[in-house]
């Protein structure tokens, strides 16, 4: 019964919208910037995502909102498999069916003045949207951006007015090593942030969580578990979260997240 009710609620609440493809720009290597035009019934907040139908695939694919303003939605995506490959061939003027905004978003707090953003690969997407919000609040932002090589860095879409620190696995640009390592060097130089916001691969976020725990810094990260329904019904995206009794429970990344405090995630 509960499941049936969920489905009905889902159908009533989830608005599927048609967005027009304005641009589908090849940025670098396998990285693309998709610019869509369309409106949501509710304004998205940084950290939320959209679920996009890419024909002919049955399951929609989740993508973080990299920017949204005045009916213009930006998605930063990387070709990793079949659907993203098809998406890279989508042409200007075409229509895409979009559900969103979905998920919770990053918790914001005006008392956070010195802010670290740490992202790897397309995990920088939700952080780009976040920088737009934060830059209106007159706080100090340091953006740690990690990539495999210099070829994978999307320089031309990075907002101005922010202090960037780059790292690459092969040392072809910036610090050679993980983005977590370089972030920790900054902390060790006594630049202790009030908060860390992160997005990227699981291993990177796990390292960020460990550093945040060691230096007792609040940290919130956007998880990217594989998803099916994207709206809380199928429980296909669950992750282990430690509750206030110290026991772990399954939480849905699509509905209860995708942003979680690093303290509550059971990192495995
Ligand atoms: C909340 C959320 C936000 C996301 N935001 C973005 C974004 O802004 N930009 C972006 O490029 N991608 C993002 N992703 C990942 C994106 O959804 C997948 O890359 C996409 O669904 C892959 O589809 P595909 O058919 O091309 O690949 P598939 O054929 O489905 O998979 C190809 C390969 O990629 C791996 N893979 C697929 N999905 C994921 C995933 N979610 N996490 C880790 N590995 C995966 C598979 O294991 C496989 O090895 C996000 C995922 C989530 C859950
Ligand atoms: S993807 Fe179905 S519950 Fe999250």
């Amino acid at each position: 019964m509960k499941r049936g009710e969920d489905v009905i609620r889902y159908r009533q609440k989830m608005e599927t919208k048609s967005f027009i493809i304005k641009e589908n720009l090849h940025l670098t290597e396998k990285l693309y910037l998709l610019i869509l035009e369309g409106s949501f019934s509710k304004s998205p907040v940084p950290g939320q995502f959209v679920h996009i139908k890419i024909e002919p695939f049955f399951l929609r694919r989740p993508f973080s909102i990299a920017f949204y303003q005045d009916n213009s939605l930006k998605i930063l995506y990387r070709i990793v498999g079949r659907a993203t490959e098809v998406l890279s061939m989508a042409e200007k003027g075409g229509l895409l069916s979009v559900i969103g905004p979905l998920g919770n978003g990053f918790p914001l707090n005006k008392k956070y003045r010195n802010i670290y953003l740490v992202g790897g690969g397309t995990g920088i997407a939700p952080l780009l949207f976040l920088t737009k919000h934060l830059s209106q609040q007159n706080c100090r932002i340091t953006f740690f951006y990690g990539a495999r090589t210099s070829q994978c860095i999307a320089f031309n879409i990075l907002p101005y007015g922010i202090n960037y620190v780059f790292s690459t696995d092969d040392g072809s640009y910036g610090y050679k090593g993980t983005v977590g390592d370089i972030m920790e060097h900054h902390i060790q130089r006594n630049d202790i942030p009030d908060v860390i916001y992160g997005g990227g691969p699981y291993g990177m976020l796990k390292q960020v969580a460990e550093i945040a725990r060691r230096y007792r810094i609040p940290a919130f990260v956007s998880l990217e578990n594989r998803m099916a329904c994207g709206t809380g019904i199928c429980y296909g995206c669950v992750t282990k979260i430690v509750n206030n009794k110290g026991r772990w429970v399954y939480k849905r990344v699509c509905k209860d997240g995708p942003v979680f405090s690093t303290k509550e995630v059971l990192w495995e």
Side-chain angles (χ1 to χ4, degrees), residues 56-252:
F57 303 99
F58 174 69
L59 291 177
R60 288 172 178 268
R61 298 299 198 271
F63 297 95
S64 301
I65 296 172
F67 187 64
Y68 183 77
Q69 195 174 17
D70 301 332
N71 289 354
S72 177
L73 169 67
K74 291 186 184 168
I75 303 291
L76 176 71
Y77 71 95
R78 186 166 183 270
I79 300 179
V80 295
R82 295 160 307 143
T84 43
E85 171 110 54
V86 170
L87 186 61
S88 72
M89 290 180 266
E91 288 182 4
K92 208 169 163 170
L95 291 179
L96 284 174
S97 161
V98 173
I99 294 179
L102 298 171
N104 55 359
F106 290 104
L108 303 174
N109 189 327
K110 286 206 169 100
K111 73 176 189 214
Y112 297 148
R113 310 302 301 165
N114 183 17
I115 296 174
Y116 274 13
L117 305 180
V118 52
T122 52
I124 67 157
L127 306 178
L128 295 175
F129 194 20
L130 186 58
T131 56
K132 290 282 175 189
H133 271 245
L134 296 175
S135 54
Q136 292 155 9
Q137 287 179 18
N138 197 24
C139 41
R140 179 167 167 258
I141 304 169
T142 310
F143 196 137
F144 297 89
Y145 181 170
R148 279 186 298 115
T149 72
S150 60
Q151 298 293 308
C152 307
I153 301 175
F155 291 105
N156 43 352
I157 57 160
L158 298 178
Y160 297 114
I162 288 161
N163 175 29
Y164 291 97
V165 180
F166 295 93
S167 74
T168 46
D169 295 346
D170 64 356
S172 51
Y173 196 81
Y175 172 83
K176 182 175 183 198
T178 71
V179 74
D181 288 344
I182 185 66
M183 182 186 81
E184 188 169 12
H185 286 323
H186 279 247
I187 294 172
Q188 283 167 344
R189 276 191 248 143
N190 232 7
D191 179 21
I192 315 278
D194 299 319
V195 66
I196 301 171
Y197 296 113
Y202 187 86
M204 189 210 99
L205 299 182
K206 186 177 174 182
Q207 189 191 11
V208 169
E210 174 52 27
I211 296 166
R213 188 194 60 77
R214 227 175 304 135
Y215 296 91
R216 296 170 189 234
I217 302 165
F220 302 92
V221 293
S222 173
L223 298 183
E224 287 195 3
N225 287 24
R226 297 210 71 174
M227 291 183 178
C229 73
T231 51
I233 297 166
C234 74
Y235 282 73
C237 62
V238 290
T239 198
K240 287 177 185 169
I241 295 292
V242 182
N243 66 15
N244 47 17
K245 292 184 183 135
R247 298 201 194 103
W248 66 260
V249 290
Y250 281 120
K251 291 268 180 175
R252 297 160 298 180

